[in-house]
């Protein structure tokens, strides 16, 4: 039986889709049969990050309306076995997502997959609600700044009150905190919230810290999930995070500022933080 | 505007509304005993029963007993109580009640009536006065308690606690806490670690922006003395 994981945040632009793509890819690389679903109906993005936008024929809404079947609709990743993408519809809006429809599709997938990763849209409206409603676990993506932390807190409240598990009184959703775009040097300067401050406010276990990295933008533009860039800091951080999700004990990396030597400062100007 | 024109064209308008009605549970139909008991009850609180509309509930009446509705109605009216209807009556009795000019009321579920009044109030006392919240209270959530409110976790920015009684927070209070919201000046707010946006007791409040130093402290005890809110 598959486990359903929602990647959510409340706030937009914090890295939900980047995380969904990297996390799903990471699980598939570990040998689990994984599907990643784009719940952002009307603002389809996941297919771009996953590099399969030209192969989209049918979408999530077609599947809900039974205009296509699972086999026709799921896009199989070209490079990684066990990885499938369910794109959102670009021409519809979130009202096309119905509780019954989403449940039906998820139930069908549950038989075939090990993990179902739901990429939530921003906000707390229909799309976000549908993405988290059936979840068993949640990865709450948070940037180290106050508005993102506040929105994550709001989403955590919704996870504990408006999900299926909450409504039916089952075990609560397992919550994980993922801090993205973390820049230790800016934390040292006091420009950014520190990991501890965020954890104090949200009070849920930390599953990873993804550093602010040029590799992320590069990967997005290339349509290759950043986790596949094995030499990048962000790619390594995502690999660690997948390991922690699977229960392995991996120490946090990239959480303290690097001491920059004189020559490095002189010759490596492009890495100077903005 | 439309309402004004309606008023000139018709002489009334029908609307549904909810009223609180007293219910008289009939245990047996002996009219003399009924009259005697009624007199005694009214003597205790004459004003309360003056022209009070009353519903007769027959759920407690043994099923084989017949009821002299006209006599009971007459007896109530003589004591300045207005009988308006009957509920939980068998079909035969309901027909008789209608004949006596009493309205059939929707039946109240028997489960509500089963518990004895005394045990019912006890149950209320334990479930309604104090509310305990063990989950963290997140931004956008509002927790309301008719009595005291105890939160064992933290209360985030943008969350709100409302209680008619005292508020206790064992985690960090970052949101708003309003104790004694119905005007109870004796209510207090106790907090292990306070960093509140706002605290209020009996409608008097202090905002974080008013006094940063005061609202950031450990082991806080907020109470009202005269017209000022004190934080110790």
């Amino acid at each position: 039986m598959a486990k359903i994981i929602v990647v959510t945040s409340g706030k937009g632009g914090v890295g939900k889709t980047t995380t969904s793509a990297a996390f799903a890819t990471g699980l598939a690389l570990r040998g689990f049969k994984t599907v990643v679903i784009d719940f952002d109906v009307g603002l389809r993005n996941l297919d771009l990050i996953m590099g399969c936008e030209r192969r989209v024929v049918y979408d999530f809404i077609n599947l809900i309306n039974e205009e296509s079947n699972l086999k026709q609709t799921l896009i199989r990743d070209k490079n990684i076995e066990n990885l499938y993408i369910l794109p959102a519809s670009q021409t519809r809006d979130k009202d096309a997502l119905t509780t019954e429809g989403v449940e039906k599709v998820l139930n069908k997938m549950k038989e075939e997959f090990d993990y179902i990763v739901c990429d939530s849209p921003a906000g707390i409206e229909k799309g976000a609600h549908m993405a988290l409603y059936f979840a068993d676990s949640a990865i709450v993506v948070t940037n180290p700044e106050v508005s993102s932390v506040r929105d994550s807190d709001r989403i955590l409240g919704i996870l504990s009150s408006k999900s299926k598990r909450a409504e039916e009184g089952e075990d609560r959703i397992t919550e994980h905190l993922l801090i993205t775009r973390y820049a230790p040097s800016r934390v040292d300067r006091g420009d950014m919230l520190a990991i501890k401050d965020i954890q104090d406010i949200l009070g849920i276990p930390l599953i990873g810290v993804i550093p602010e990295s040029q590799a992320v933008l590069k990967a997005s533009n290339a349509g290759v999930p950043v986790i596949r860039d094995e030499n990048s800091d962000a790619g390594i951080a995502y690999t660690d995070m997948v390991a922690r999700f699977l229960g392995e004990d991996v120490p946090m990396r990239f959480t303290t500022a690097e001491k920059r030597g004189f020559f490095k400062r002189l010759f490596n100007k492009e890495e100077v933080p903005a | 505007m439309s309402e004004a024109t309606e008023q000139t064209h018709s002489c009334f308008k029908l609307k549904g509304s909810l009223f609180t009605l007293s219910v008289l549970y009939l245990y047996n139909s002996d009219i003399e005993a009924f009259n005697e008991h009624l007199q005694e009850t009214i003597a205790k609180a004459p004003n309360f029963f003056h022209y009070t509309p009353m519903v007769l509930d027959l759920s407690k009446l043994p099923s084989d007993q017949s009821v002299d509705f006209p006599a009971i109605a007459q007896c109530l009216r003589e004591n300045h109580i207005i009988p308006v209807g009957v509920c939980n009556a068998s079909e035969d009795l309901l027909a008789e009640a209608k004949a006596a000019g009493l309205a059939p009321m929707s039946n109240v579920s028997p489960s509500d009536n089963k518990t004895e009044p005394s045990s019912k109030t006890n149950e209320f006392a334990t479930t309604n006065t104090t509310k305990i919240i063990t989950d963290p209270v997140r931004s956008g959530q509002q927790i309301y308690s008719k009595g005291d409110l105890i939160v064992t976790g933290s209360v985030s920015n943008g969350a709100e606690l409302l209680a008619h009684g005292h508020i206790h927070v064992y985690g960090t209070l970052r949101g708003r806490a309003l104790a004694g919201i119905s005007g109870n000046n004796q209510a207090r707010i106790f907090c292990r670690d306070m960093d509140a946006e706002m605290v209020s007791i009996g409608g008097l409040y202090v905002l974080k922006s008013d006094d940063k130093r005061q609202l950031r402290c450990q082991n806080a005890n907020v109470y009202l003395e005269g017209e000022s809110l004190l934080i110790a």
Side-chain angles (χ1 to χ4, degrees), chain A residues 70-115:
Chain A
L70 212 56
K71 204 170 173 228
Q72 289 173 311
T73 317
L74 291 182
I75 302 169
R76 192 181 173 157
D77 192 87
K78 267 188 177 159
N79 304 302
I80 300 160
E81 225 185 332
N82 293 329
L83 182 58
Y84 294 80
I85 299 114
L86 177 56
S89 173
Q90 182 70 348
T91 52
R92 306 289 295 271
D93 61 38
K94 266 104 180 154
D95 292 334
L97 293 169
T98 59
T99 315
E100 301 75 33
V102 172
E103 184 170 29
K104 203 173 59 195
V105 171
L106 288 176
N107 281 341
K108 260 186 227 161
M109 289 182 168
K110 268 182 164 181
E111 296 161 15
E112 278 188 46
F113 289 92
D114 298 317
Y115 290 106

Side-chain angles (χ1 to χ4, degrees), chain B residues 112-160:
Chain B
D112 279 355
N113 305 328
K114 257 184 210 160
T115 46
E116 290 297 307
S118 60
S119 70
K120 203 171 171 182
T121 45
N122 272 344
E123 208 175 270
F124 258 82
T126 49
T127 54
N128 260 348
T129 48
T130 304
K131 195 178 214 173
I132 301 184
I133 306 290
T134 50
D135 284 342
V137 185
R138 304 286 183 184
S139 180
Q141 288 181 321
Q142 192 180 53
I143 311 281
Y144 167 77
S145 169
K146 284 181 182 161
D148 292 354
L149 177 58
I150 300 174
V151 180
T152 58
S154 290
V155 180
S156 294
N157 274 305
E160 198 166 62

Side-chain angles (χ1 to χ4, degrees), chain B residues 73-229:
Chain B
Q74 175 73 19
C75 176
L76 287 169
R77 283 197 199 97
E78 277 170 7
N79 289 295
H80 304 297
I81 293 173
I82 321 280
V84 291
V86 173
C87 69
N88 291 321
S90 66
E91 259 176 53
D92 293 346
L93 286 178
L94 198 61
E96 284 179 39
K98 282 184 195 163
L102 295 171
M105 312 291 279
S106 57
N107 288 348
V108 182
S109 73
S111 68
D112 279 355
N113 305 328
K114 257 184 210 160
T115 46
E116 290 297 307
S118 60
S119 70
K120 203 171 171 182
T121 45
N122 272 344
E123 208 175 270
F124 258 82
T126 49
T127 54
N128 260 348
T129 48
T130 304
K131 195 178 214 173
I132 301 184
I133 306 290
T134 50
D135 284 342
V137 185
R138 304 286 183 184
S139 180
Q141 288 181 321
Q142 192 180 53
I143 311 281
Y144 167 77
S145 169
K146 284 181 182 161
D148 292 354
L149 177 58
I150 300 174
V151 180
T152 58
S154 290
V155 180
S156 294
N157 274 305
E160 198 166 62
L161 304 179
L162 301 165
H164 288 285
H166 312 296
I167 294 178
H168 307 249
V169 181
Y170 291 94
T172 308
L173 171 63
R174 298 190 180 87
R176 297 161 170 244
L178 297 88
I181 48 173
S182 46
N184 176 8
N185 293 338
Q186 299 304 308
R188 290 185 176 215
I189 298 169
F190 302 95
C191 181
R192 272 248 304 261
D193 182 23
M194 183 151 88
D195 190 10
E197 286 175 347
M198 181 184 90
V199 288
S200 158
I201 287 172
L204 227 78
Y205 64 87
V206 174
L207 283 170
K208 191 173 193 172
S209 54
D210 294 344
D211 195 333
K212 267 185 187 162
R213 190 178 46 84
Q214 269 199 335
L215 287 185
R216 179 83 192 90
C217 60
Q218 306 284 315
N219 299 324
N221 172 9
V222 187
Y223 59 99
L224 209 57
E225 206 172 83
E227 286 292 288
S228 55
L229 206 62

Side-chain angles (χ1 to χ4, degrees), chain A residues 150 153-154 156-157 160-161 172 175 200-204, chain B residues 135-141 154 156-159 174 197:
Chain A
R150 170 83 57 99
D153 193 52
R154 184 90 166 88
L156 283 165
S160 63
S161 62
R172 46 185 310 154
E175 299 152 338
D200 271 356
I201 295 170
L202 296 179
I204 58 169
Chain B
D135 284 342
V137 185
R138 304 286 183 184
S139 180
Q141 288 181 321
S154 290
S156 294
N157 274 305
R174 298 190 180 87
E197 286 175 347

Side-chain angles (χ1 to χ4, degrees), chain A residues 136-164:
Chain A
D136 301 308
S137 317
I139 293 172
V140 178
V141 183
T142 305
N143 284 171
E145 48 103 15
V146 283
S147 62
S148 174
V149 174
R150 170 83 57 99
D151 291 359
S152 294
D153 193 52
R154 184 90 166 88
I155 276 288
L156 283 165
I158 292 170
L159 282 168
S160 63
S161 62
K162 288 188 180 161
S163 61
K164 184 163 182 274

